[in-house]
Amino acid sequence: MRGFMLFLLSMLTGWTVYGQTRSVQGMLKDDKNRVIAGATVKLTSKLDSMTAGSNMAGIFTFDKIKADTFKITVSNLGFERFEKEFGFPKGEVKYIIPSLTLQQNSQMLEEVVVDGVPTVVVKSDTLEYTMKDLKLRDGSVAEDALKKLQGVEVDKDGNVTAQGESVKRVRINGKDFFGGDVKTATQNLPANIIQKMQIIDDYGDMANITGNKNGDSEKVLNIQIDPKYNQGHMTTLRAGYGTEDRYQATGMWMGMREGEQISVLGNLNNTNAPLFDFNTTGGGARRGQGGGGRRGGGMFGGSDGLTKIGSIGLNFRKDFSDKLTAYGSYSYSHSNNTTLSQRYIVNATPGRTQADSVDANSNTIGGNHRFEANVEWKPTAKDYIKIVPQFGYDDGNNNSITNSITYLSNVLDNKQELTTGTNSTAPRFGISGLYNRKLNDNGRNLFFNFNYNNAKTDKDVNQILDRYISDPSNINQPMSNIYQRTVQDALNKSWNAGASVNYTEPLSKNGKLEVTYDFNKNKYDNNISQKGYDKDSSSIENAFENAKLNLDYNYDYAFTTHKIGANYLFSNDKVTYSVGVAGQPSQLRGSAINSGEIIPISRNNMNWMPIARFEYKFSRQSNLSVNYSGSPTEPSVSQILPYNLSTSSTNIVYGNANLNPEFNHDLKLRFRKNDFQKGNNFFVFLNGSLADNKIVSLNKSYYGPIQKDPTTGKIDSALISETRYLNETGDRPYAINSFYHYGKSWKEKTFNVMLMGGISVNKTIGYSSIDENDNIGQKNVARNFVLTQGLMFRYNPSENLEINPGVRYQFTHTENSLLQRNSDIQTWTPTLIGSYNILKNTIFGADLSKSFNQGYGQGLSSNPFIINTYVEQRFLKDQRGTLRLQAFDLLNQQTNLSRTVDGFLTTDSRTNRLGRYFMVLFTYKFQKFAMGNPEGENRFPGGMRPPRM
């Protein structure tokens, strides 16, 4: 820690230290003698390390150079990397290098040139957008720029979707920013210092280093900072207060110089505006592996409920040399969330229909810590090493009260109140690494990576069930009362370790052989103990409750896989494909122990799968790709433990020690056709998945003995819900989903039209019974069909006016084979978003949306009309100050309505969200760069985004 603090101190105190040295100037051209603007140029020597960008005339300049000899490195998407050594002529203090010529990259698909500057570049796995031509309002952040890119959407919660797929990670200059946290970067980074944005289909470190793609890709956003702004700093401070005691206080400082960057962010508010997403952790050096050490679901509930948040974070990067780089981040957040929810649940099974009306009040308080670092080292031109340590710690407590009323075939069965208190801590740590060795210049390569992750969750649960049971045969009889209190202590430990080796041997100019081996092991060790008590705080010991509420279990098991494969890779200007086969044996081993009884868990499975990937380039801007992948998934802890883990004797869950792992087959098809010169953009994708040995649920609902009156000897029965698990071997569930997007722009992007939509079809399987002793049940096949369609229009003649009308439609149809029961939901959502400069420094903006919902359950229908608006005035020197009056949800109709269908169960939900308030916000922003402020001194600098409208 002491060394780390000294490192940070050296960065903070060294921004203004410059030596007295010489200067270099040069010009970049392509092989057709055209100037190259926007390229990244790096000068390195034993005493220097600096980066610049080529300007509109292709010229780059370096000042204050210390060494006599130096190396110039030039990189730009679409051109081969350029490297060359130079030396100062004797006695010269200013050296003008002869023009440097860059060679076109043979893998480039298309470069569209407008006014001599590339605006969109298309590569096989990358779409690169240049920010120069976007009509952005002064003070915009990265998120505002993303909204103007063809094929990219940003929803009201800040989630980014590109080409129909969610963007999972963000990088700045190729390195993870705050662990890849998308919203932290897009909502805080000023747009006016960004040179380019890249949307990348990322296949992981091995593909980036070797070019060999395995598995599925994930969408990554890479933000390139304009090199001339890589030396300086920027500051944003914001404070606001409003009605309903709403408050907002945020701050950001980012400093940059050659090879170094440090950012500090802080946030305090009660307007549901989190600074960090703790569900995002850095990719590490080995991605996509399951098991221990991986963080579970988020502790804090997004936009639902009312949340008070306090956060602070630090992100750093330092290039010690052109061979050694270190970067990483630390984030902390404390949150207090209160959520009110209503649910209407229908469980329609043969012979019985159960309807539950549920109201819940939940409060969650907790904190999250997240730290990760990356060290990249290139000891030689042929060797590359990366090490990634990670650490996290979560703690929290939740208190909730849930009231419900249950009807069976429209007759009252029971009323109950469930009070739950939970406290938990969850530390985790991990390390991953990789090593790559280029064995020759013809493509022979050896790649190795590894990971180890460890996690532990310690949880205490105190739950009270108070249920009043009605006697439908005698409605005048008083309801009998069931009271049960359970105290549970659970300690769950898990770890995951894995390693892989990849060897590539070139066979011809376009072909090579790839051999891979992958090992992965997930290990679980869990202990759970529980005691049940009655109203008098006496332990429940009678025959009915003892087996269900008093328990002491120990269970540990491990899931191990070995994957061995070989495939042939071929690539030329038109076709790229990979064909081969892989075998993957898997082993499930462990035991469950209860009161000395040991139940062994032992499974062996063998899966064979093809290795298949195909890409065809119809033209420079049109291509088709197809990819198959397969993967096994082990049962969860609750699914495999063959004991009752319930905290209530009316809601029982039994695992199954005889479960086999699932195996999922996934097929992805993508087609893209662009004509950026004419303003056209079209893409479509189709994904399909098929499951073998799918783990499905058996849901039983029956009356059973629940308690015995010690005075009268009467035995009360109650409605009991029981869940068990089994493998589906007679049928295969599947999921198919598609999405398309068509965009058209004309008149220099003044007018834009976007048409998008998709269809998804899902088949799920479940079993049901109303017989307590039936462990097979009746099979139900549920089919779900979802149609989505959207039409958006943008009118953006200048930075001073933007109007975005649109409409979205969604239709959901669900049917069940067992009961022939169908369900239909429709939602229409017209929207209008716009902003206008009333005066030069006075802006008016509004965001309107109206929802029309049909088909939801009783009492939950809602058609909210949401109106958000603001007026903003800029002032002070260089317009560094902003005063904003904003109104949120003017009609006070904000709510969240949703439906989920799972076999026999249909659940309609509504939760509270932040309601109407008014707020006054003051913002101060300042930027200072060695090359001058972006777009001149009068341009209002960007910075941290105000609370989401």
Side-chain angles (χ1 to χ4, degrees):
M1 179 60 70
R2 180 183 177 186
F4 178 67
M5 295 303 297
L6 290 174
F7 159 66
L8 293 180
L9 183 62
S10 68
M11 294 178 67
L12 290 170
T13 58
W15 300 111
T16 58
V17 179
Y18 304 102
Q20 300 300 318
T21 50
R22 295 161 286 189
S23 65
V24 166
Q25 187 178 91
M27 176 181 287
L28 302 179
K29 294 183 177 181
D30 64 11
D31 52 8
K32 295 182 181 179
N33 207 36
R34 299 177 299 191
V35 298
I36 300 174
T40 299
V41 186
K42 190 169 185 178
L43 184 149
T44 56
S45 71
K46 293 181 179 180
L47 303 175
D48 307 283
S49 178
M50 54 187 72
T51 304
S54 57
N55 63 19
M56 298 287 292
I59 296 173
F60 61 88
T61 303
F62 293 102
D63 295 317
K64 302 176 182 177
I65 301 169
K66 301 174 184 176
D68 294 326
T69 60
F70 54 88
K71 180 171 69 174
I72 294 291
T73 304
V74 183
S75 59
N76 194 38
L77 193 62
F79 295 91
E80 300 287 350
R81 182 182 176 89
F82 176 92
E83 288 186 354
K84 189 173 180 180
E85 299 279 351
F86 296 92
F88 274 96
K90 188 174 182 179
E92 295 290 336
V93 294
K94 183 175 182 179
Y95 179 26
I96 299 179
I97 300 174
S99 296
L100 306 180
T101 301
L102 305 188
Q103 299 298 319
Q104 293 278 351
N105 190 326
S106 60
Q107 296 184 8
M108 181 59 59
L109 298 184
E110 179 67 4
E111 178 181 316
V112 179
V113 179
V114 179
D115 295 332
V117 179
T119 58
V120 181
V121 175
V122 185
K123 201 177 179 181
S124 58
D125 296 321
T126 302
L127 276 177
E128 180 178 272
Y129 302 85
T130 298
M131 297 295 100
K132 170 185 172 292
D133 292 329
L134 295 183
K135 298 171 183 176
L136 292 172
R137 188 181 302 277
D138 293 344
S140 296
V141 291
E143 181 180 88
D144 301 308
L146 283 167
K147 293 177 180 179
K148 295 179 180 291
L149 304 183
Q150 285 281 17
V152 179
E153 290 187 84
V154 183
D155 68 17
K156 288 191 176 184
D157 292 324
N159 302 302
V160 182
T161 302
Q163 301 167 15
E165 298 180 62
S166 175
V167 174
K168 302 293 187 182
R169 192 173 309 284
V170 68
R171 297 170 182 154
I172 293 182
N173 292 339
K175 308 300 182 184
D176 283 350
F177 185 73
F178 280 101
D181 198 326
V182 175
K183 297 178 189 179
T184 301
T186 60
Q187 295 178 2
N188 294 293
L189 192 67
N192 54 8
I193 67 169
I194 300 174
Q195 182 184 51
K196 303 172 184 177
M197 286 188 176
Q198 298 171 327
I199 301 294
I200 303 169
D201 290 323
D202 185 71
Y203 290 87
D205 283 320
M206 188 179 77
N208 297 334
I209 297 169
T210 68
N212 302 337
K213 302 173 185 177
N214 289 310
D216 294 327
S217 65
E218 66 177 16
K219 278 286 188 290
V220 171
L221 168 65
N222 183 44
I223 298 174
Q224 293 280 1
I225 304 298
D226 193 325
K228 65 189 176 195
Y229 302 126
N230 273 334
Q231 188 153 295
H233 62 87
M234 65 191 77
T235 302
T236 301
L237 300 173
R238 173 173 288 112
Y241 186 77
T243 60
E244 307 297 326
D245 287 327
R246 299 291 164 213
Y247 59 85
Q248 169 85 16
T250 56
M252 178 189 74
W253 180 84
M254 177 182 287
M256 294 171 286
R257 66 177 184 179
E258 297 302 333
E260 296 181 4
Q261 175 268 325
I262 187 168
S263 302
V264 181
L265 287 82
N267 178 35
L268 186 68
N269 70 81
N270 63 354
T271 58
N272 288 25
L275 182 60
F276 304 112
D277 178 6
F278 285 89
N279 288 319
T280 301
T281 57
R286 179 174 161 83
R287 194 187 72 194
Q289 306 303 312
R294 303 184 68 191
R295 191 179 192 277
M299 182 175 296
F300 310 124
S303 297
D304 289 343
L306 302 178
T307 308
K308 299 177 182 178
I309 302 171
S311 306
I312 191 167
L314 170 73
N315 190 86
F316 65 90
R317 174 182 176 180
K318 182 174 178 62
D319 298 334
F320 295 95
S321 68
D322 57 353
K323 295 182 178 181
L324 181 62
T325 296
Y327 57 97
S329 65
Y330 167 75
S331 309
Y332 170 74
S333 181
H334 184 271
S335 178
N336 186 331
N337 173 269
T338 299
T339 300
L340 307 178
S341 63
Q342 293 176 288
R343 288 178 293 156
Y344 186 71
I345 307 168
V346 177
N347 185 5
T349 57
R352 179 182 297 150
T353 298
Q354 178 180 332
D356 294 277
S357 180
V358 183
D359 292 291
N361 185 334
S362 176
N363 175 249
T364 301
I365 301 174
N368 301 91
H369 299 263
R370 177 183 63 190
F371 169 80
E372 57 184 57
N374 295 259
V375 179
E376 298 180 8
W377 182 36
K378 302 174 183 177
T380 70
K382 295 184 177 181
D383 297 282
Y384 173 72
I385 298 171
K386 181 178 181 180
I387 301 294
V388 182
Q390 297 175 327
F391 170 79
Y393 184 87
D394 303 336
D395 68 88
N397 63 79
N398 172 270
N399 293 283
S400 64
I401 299 176
T402 303
N403 292 283
S404 63
I405 303 176
T406 300
Y407 290 86
L408 291 182
S409 302
N410 297 318
V411 177
L412 176 64
D413 181 82
N414 70 79
K415 298 180 180 180
Q416 78 171 31
E417 180 178 274
L418 185 66
T419 304
T420 305
T422 303
N423 296 283
S424 65
T425 59
R428 64 191 184 278
F429 68 88
I431 186 169
S432 60
L434 67 84
Y435 170 68
N436 188 80
R437 171 71 177 178
K438 294 181 180 179
L439 300 176
N440 64 22
D441 295 331
N442 298 322
R444 183 178 296 159
N445 194 83
L446 179 66
F447 179 91
F448 168 79
N449 69 6
F450 74 92
N451 76 287
Y452 175 79
N453 301 288
N454 193 300
K456 180 176 71 172
T457 300
D458 194 348
K459 182 171 66 173
D460 299 316
V461 182
N462 190 335
Q463 182 170 288
I464 298 174
L465 171 69
D466 200 352
R467 174 181 279 199
Y468 291 86
I469 303 171
S470 174
D471 185 354
S473 63
N474 187 354
I475 60 174
N476 295 319
Q477 180 177 334
M479 290 184 173
S480 54
N481 174 235
I482 296 173
Y483 180 95
Q484 295 174 345
R485 175 174 174 244
T486 53
V487 178
Q488 183 186 103
D489 181 27
L491 178 61
N492 302 317
K493 295 185 288 186
S494 61
W495 59 263
N496 161 254
S500 65
V501 179
N502 176 285
Y503 175 76
T504 305
E505 178 66 32
L507 301 178
S508 64
K509 176 182 177 181
N510 297 318
K512 51 188 175 181
L513 176 68
E514 181 184 31
V515 180
T516 61
Y517 168 73
D518 186 281
F519 166 82
N520 195 73
K521 184 171 184 176
N522 302 330
K523 182 71 168 62
Y524 306 89
D525 185 4
N526 304 276
N527 294 273
I528 180 170
S529 62
Q530 179 176 285
K531 283 289 186 180
Y533 300 91
D534 60 19
K535 282 185 177 181
D536 300 323
S537 298
S538 299
S539 178
I540 297 176
E541 298 291 349
N542 69 59
F544 301 120
E545 290 88 0
N546 187 46
K548 298 177 180 178
L549 296 183
N550 297 326
L551 51 92
D552 189 0
Y553 300 142
N554 178 281
Y555 46 107
D556 64 272
Y557 65 100
F559 182 63
T560 306
T561 62
H562 303 263
K563 183 178 179 180
I564 304 173
N567 60 289
Y568 175 74
L569 295 90
F570 177 87
S571 180
N572 62 20
D573 293 338
K574 280 286 185 181
V575 178
T576 299
Y577 65 84
S578 175
V579 293
V581 66
Q584 188 172 48
S586 62
Q587 184 183 78
L588 190 63
R589 289 284 187 275
S591 62
I593 304 173
N594 176 36
S595 301
E597 178 189 8
I598 300 177
I599 298 179
I601 301 170
S602 179
R603 304 285 180 281
N604 291 315
N605 294 84
M606 182 67 189
N607 294 289
W608 293 94
M609 67 198 81
I611 298 174
R613 185 185 301 276
F614 175 81
E615 181 179 354
Y616 183 78
K617 302 169 188 175
F618 297 95
S619 68
R620 291 187 172 185
Q621 296 191 74
S622 177
N623 70 314
L624 170 72
S625 64
V626 182
N627 177 47
Y628 165 85
S629 62
S631 61
T633 304
E634 75 272 26
S636 67
V637 170
S638 61
Q639 290 173 336
I640 203 169
L641 181 67
Y643 302 118
N644 174 20
L645 288 179
S646 307
T647 56
S648 164
S649 57
T650 61
N651 193 344
I652 302 170
V653 178
Y654 280 99
N656 180 2
N658 295 316
L659 285 178
N660 283 307
E662 298 178 2
F663 191 85
N664 297 288
H665 306 266
D666 295 293
L667 185 67
K668 292 189 176 183
L669 182 148
R670 291 187 179 95
F671 174 74
R672 180 170 58 198
K673 183 176 177 60
N674 306 308
D675 190 341
F676 290 104
Q677 291 164 315
K678 295 182 179 180
N680 297 333
N681 174 272
F682 175 77
F683 63 83
V684 61
F685 75 72
L686 177 67
N687 295 342
S689 65
L690 188 68
D692 292 326
N693 282 328
K694 182 69 176 179
I695 298 174
V696 299
S697 298
L698 166 61
N699 295 308
K700 296 193 289 184
S701 179
Y702 56 86
Y703 279 95
I706 195 69
Q707 70 179 7
K708 182 178 181 180
D709 191 315
T711 303
T712 64
K714 179 185 175 183
I715 297 175
D716 288 323
S717 294
L719 183 66
I720 297 173
S721 297
E722 181 179 318
T723 302
R724 293 179 180 265
Y725 300 97
L726 52 103
N727 288 111
E728 175 57 42
T729 57
D731 207 346
R732 285 178 160 186
Y734 61 79
I736 301 171
N737 63 87
S738 63
F739 183 85
Y740 79 92
H741 178 281
Y742 173 74
K744 172 71 176 178
S745 61
W746 59 95
K747 288 195 175 181
E748 297 181 349
K749 301 180 182 178
T750 297
F751 299 94
N752 293 269
V753 173
M754 290 166 285
L755 185 67
M756 74 287 290
I759 295 174
S760 67
V761 181
N762 299 280
K763 173 185 173 183
T764 59
I765 295 172
Y767 291 82
S768 177
S769 178
I770 58 175
D771 183 352
E772 177 182 4
N773 299 312
D774 182 6
N775 289 325
I776 299 176
Q778 292 179 275
K779 181 178 179 179
N780 179 66
V781 178
R783 288 181 170 85
N784 179 252
F785 172 85
V786 181
L787 169 69
T788 59
Q789 185 62 57
L791 176 62
M792 304 293 166
F793 178 78
R794 180 189 300 131
Y795 176 60
N796 191 194
S798 70
E799 295 88 347
N800 298 323
L801 175 63
E802 181 174 352
I803 301 174
N804 297 272
V807 62
R808 292 181 183 273
Y809 172 74
Q810 180 169 305
F811 171 74
T812 303
H813 172 79
T814 304
E815 58 185 43
N816 293 272
S817 63
L818 193 57
L819 296 172
Q820 299 297 311
R821 180 172 60 91
N822 298 336
S823 168
D824 293 327
I825 290 287
Q826 293 187 75
T827 301
W828 288 90
T829 309
T831 61
L832 177 62
I833 303 172
S835 60
Y836 175 63
N837 279 57
I838 302 173
L839 300 173
K840 180 180 179 181
N841 297 320
T842 307
I843 304 168
F844 170 77
D847 181 346
L848 292 75
S849 67
K850 172 68 176 177
S851 296
F852 299 92
N853 299 296
Q854 297 179 7
Y856 285 97
Q858 63 181 32
L860 290 181
S861 295
S862 178
N863 300 307
F865 185 23
I866 309 301
I867 302 176
N868 304 319
T869 185
Y870 69 91
V871 177
E872 185 174 280
Q873 178 67 43
R874 297 172 179 173
F875 57 98
L876 298 181
K877 181 181 178 181
D878 299 328
Q879 301 179 11
R880 292 172 180 168
T882 303
L883 192 65
R884 169 184 282 212
L885 172 63
Q886 69 179 34
F888 180 85
D889 190 14
L890 271 175
L891 303 181
N892 203 27
Q893 296 186 9
Q894 185 83 266
T895 188
N896 180 31
L897 191 65
S898 65
R899 165 169 285 191
T900 59
V901 179
D902 182 10
F904 303 96
L905 290 175
T906 301
T907 304
D908 293 323
S909 303
R910 183 169 63 188
T911 58
N912 68 318
R913 288 197 169 187
L914 186 65
R916 176 173 54 204
Y917 70 90
F918 300 86
M919 178 174 281
V920 176
L921 281 158
F922 172 72
T923 304
Y924 180 80
K925 306 180 182 183
F926 177 75
Q927 295 180 350
K928 185 175 182 180
F929 296 94
M931 298 295 292
N933 290 331
E935 306 298 327
E937 290 295 327
N938 292 326
R939 181 175 174 85
F940 186 77
M944 187 169 294
R945 189 187 192 281
R948 179 161 302 285
M949 293 298 297

